[in-house]
Structure formats: C-alpha cells, structure tokens
Amino acid sequence: MQFDFVFSVPTRAVRTTAHHSKLLAFAVALLTMTPISHAQDTPRPARPTPPTTARPENAQSAEDQVFSGPQIGELLPELPIRLALGPQAGTDFDPVTTAAAKPVLLIFVHDINRQSISMTRVLSGYCASRADTGLQTSVIFLADDLPAADAQIQRMQHALTPDIPTGISPDGREGPGTWGLNRNVTLTIIIGQAGKATGNFALVQPSLQADLPRILKSLVAEIGGEVPPLEKLPGMPKMESRPAAGSTAPPDMRALLTPVIRRDAPDQDVQLAAEKVEARAETDPAVRAELARISTTIVNSGKLSNYGTPRAQEYLRKWAQKYGANKSSTPVKTSE
C-alpha cells in the first residue's frame, strides 16, 4: 500500500523548533508503515498430538508384585529353627542343611488363621505321602513372641501333620535376615533342589482352590508323578472341594458384603446390609463358612481399617469372632 502526501510550507522562513521536527518525522514514519497482513493474525493449526497407548486396567506393574524369600535360582541359606513338636521338641534343627541335595519344601507361616493352617495341613499332608521320593518337608512359624507362638502350636497340633518337622524361627516375625521374608504375607512356600530355590509362592490370602494346584505342579516337577486332584488330598475341607456338575454355585459374597464395606455408607445402610448378611448366614452353611473365612482373614491381616466405616469394621470383628475358624458350623445366637 502506498501513501502520497504533500506538505505545504509557507514561503516565509519559519524557524522550526526541535519539538516540531520530531512530530513531523513521527507522522511521516507512521503514515508510511506497511500494514500488517491479516494472514499473520491467523493462528497456526495445532500440531496433532501423537496417540498414547493406555495401560489396561488390569495391568500390574512390577511394584505391585509380592516377593518373599529366595527367588527361583537363588541359593537357600542355612535355616536354624527350634522344633516345637515331636520327640525332638526343644532342640535345634536346620531343614536346609539336613536336606542337602534332596528336594525340599518349606512352609513359612507368617500369620495363623484358618486359611494358612488349612493350606499348611493339606500341603504338608501330601508331602508326607511323597516322602519316599526323598522330599524333605518342614513347617516354620514366624512370631515375635516365641513362648506365645510355642503355646499356640501346642494347642493346635491336632490340625498339623504328624511326623513333619515343625518349629519356630528364633529370629522373630521377620525370620532370618538372609532369607528376605516378607512379613506382610500370610504364607511363604519355598520349593528347592540341591540347595537352590526352584519354586517360590508368596501368598497374601492363601486359597486351596487357586494356589494349591500351582504349588503341587511346581513340586511334582521336582519329585515326579502327577498333580493329584484336590478332592483326593487328605485333609481337604469339604467346603473347598470342587463342586460336582449340576451342584449349587457358591454364594456371591461380593454382592452380599459390598454394601456393608462401602467407605461412604451411612451407619443405617451398613446396619441394614449387615442384617441381610447375618440372615443368610443363619440359614445357609456355605454363606456362613465363607463369611467366617473372609472376616477372619480381614481381621487378622492387620488392615481392618481399609474396609468400610468404623461401623462396618465392628461387624467384621463380630463375624470373625462368631463364625471364625475354631467355631462350630452351627451358628450361635448372640445379642447385639
């Protein structure tokens, strides 16, 4: 764009001040500037954002995995324990040194509850039946209060497998430092051969149905034979045996308990939901058994505060006491 301007100056001499000269120069410069194109005002199109791949909801990061004890391929350190049962009770024993190059299965019991003792009894019972393969099996309880742990083992020895070395680690709940055991799990089960770990199972909530087949498969790989059907194992609880075809499906405990343990549930809603659970437990043995297992596990886990409101936690404690592992299958009437 071009601008033509004519400035008329009087013929008489005019003395222009410095101020007027500056104004004139500014006006000329302003009028002769090239206008800014509208194209420059148009914003540049945004650069497309490269697509991102979202991690599936069920993806598990490495941080979420649970580790306890020597991993596969690692050496099994010495394991001094004090025997609690049998004719050698009170004496020191090292199951790793004793096993030497033979296959070994070690059950570390971090927490004593219905699930851990059921798994210990059934698994050690099977191991005892395979002793002819040279398999060396031991059960090791971990506790900070050793005399109390010893007394508890004496009281429940009827629920443990006879002739399986059973003792207590003198190193407390953490166990020997060289073993790297995780005190936040319920059971650690180690399978070994020739002094090295060949199987490792860190169980937070042991399940005979879900975990035992995996353990047996790993064990049979070392000692030979076939994985036995769960229902054929000695000591397998009837309530956890596989249902026959056409039998009634197990109770949907999630649907029953979710309204009870909702974190934002008012006390009145918790009470109504809990009353429904108790009504089912009074008439349905399967619900009663599952309620006993779940409530006992939660209460003994040390994480009760993670489940629902304080009112809901009161019900969980009540159910663990009322229907717990050592209670009769017949419900006992209790008053609120």
Side-chain angles (χ1 to χ4, degrees):
M1 183 180 296
Q2 184 176 356
F3 300 91
D4 295 326
F5 295 92
V6 178
F7 293 91
S8 175
V9 181
T11 55
R12 69 177 182 272
V14 179
R15 184 176 181 178
T16 306
T17 65
H19 177 68
H20 290 162
S21 298
K22 290 180 180 179
L23 289 176
L24 181 60
F26 177 75
V28 173
L30 181 64
L31 293 173
T32 57
M33 288 177 62
T34 303
I36 299 175
S37 170
H38 290 290
Q40 293 176 330
D41 293 334
T42 305
R44 294 181 180 179
R47 181 175 297 178
T49 303
T52 57
T53 303
R55 192 179 71 176
E57 292 183 0
N58 62 345
Q60 186 178 34
S61 64
E63 291 82 0
D64 295 328
Q65 298 180 20
V66 179
F67 297 96
S68 182
Q71 301 302 298
I72 294 176
E74 295 180 353
L75 292 174
L76 300 180
E78 294 181 353
L79 183 60
I81 66 174
R82 177 64 59 90
L83 292 174
L85 298 177
Q88 302 298 320
T91 62
D92 294 334
F93 176 70
D94 185 338
V96 174
T97 302
T98 301
K102 296 178 181 178
V104 62
L105 184 138
L106 306 170
I107 304 174
F108 292 91
V109 183
H110 302 259
D111 283 319
I112 298 176
N113 55 48
R114 179 175 184 152
Q115 290 172 297
S116 64
I117 297 306
S118 291
M119 177 68 77
T120 299
R121 180 178 63 251
V122 176
L123 178 57
S124 61
Y126 172 74
C127 292
S129 71
R130 299 299 308 276
D132 58 338
T133 64
L135 176 63
Q136 306 289 301
T137 306
S138 293
V139 177
I140 304 97
F141 286 84
L142 304 174
D144 289 327
D145 189 337
L146 303 187
D150 183 76
Q152 190 169 15
I153 293 172
Q154 302 302 323
R155 290 194 300 269
M156 66 179 185
Q157 60 179 304
H158 64 279
L160 301 172
T161 303
D163 302 325
I164 291 292
T166 300
I168 307 171
S169 170
D171 296 293
R173 187 174 173 82
E174 300 286 350
T178 54
W179 276 75
L181 297 168
N182 184 346
R183 66 180 297 156
N184 294 319
V185 303
T186 299
L187 289 176
T188 299
I189 298 172
I190 304 294
I191 300 172
Q193 177 82 42
K196 290 186 177 181
T198 59
N200 179 298
F201 302 88
L203 308 180
V204 177
Q205 292 188 354
S207 167
L208 289 171
Q209 294 284 1
D211 298 316
L212 188 53
R214 300 186 298 117
I215 299 169
L216 293 176
K217 182 178 180 180
S218 177
L219 177 60
V220 166
E222 300 300 327
I223 64 175
E226 297 182 357
V227 177
L230 294 186
E231 59 270 19
K232 300 296 184 181
L233 293 174
M236 187 72 181
K238 293 182 180 180
M239 57 168 284
E240 297 198 54
S241 61
R242 291 177 177 173
S247 63
T248 304
D252 185 359
M253 298 303 293
R254 180 183 295 273
L256 274 176
L257 293 178
T258 296
V260 178
I261 60 175
R262 275 180 41 220
R263 298 301 295 265
D264 59 348
D267 285 353
Q268 183 177 2
D269 291 353
V270 172
Q271 181 175 346
L272 291 174
E275 288 174 353
K276 291 181 180 179
V277 173
E278 292 178 340
R280 285 286 305 276
E282 293 292 326
T283 59
D284 190 333
V287 170
R288 191 159 58 247
E290 278 298 285
L291 184 59
R293 181 184 67 81
I294 293 171
S295 60
T296 302
T297 299
I298 292 174
V299 170
N300 291 339
S301 69
K303 299 179 180 179
L304 178 61
S305 60
N306 293 343
Y307 294 86
T309 64
R311 181 61 172 150
Q313 293 158 20
E314 290 177 9
Y315 277 106
L316 290 170
R317 279 192 291 264
K318 171 188 173 183
W319 295 335
Q321 183 178 8
K322 181 178 180 180
Y323 304 116
N326 296 324
K327 305 297 181 182
S328 168
S329 59
T330 303
V332 179
K333 299 290 184 180
T334 60
S335 58
E336 288 289 346

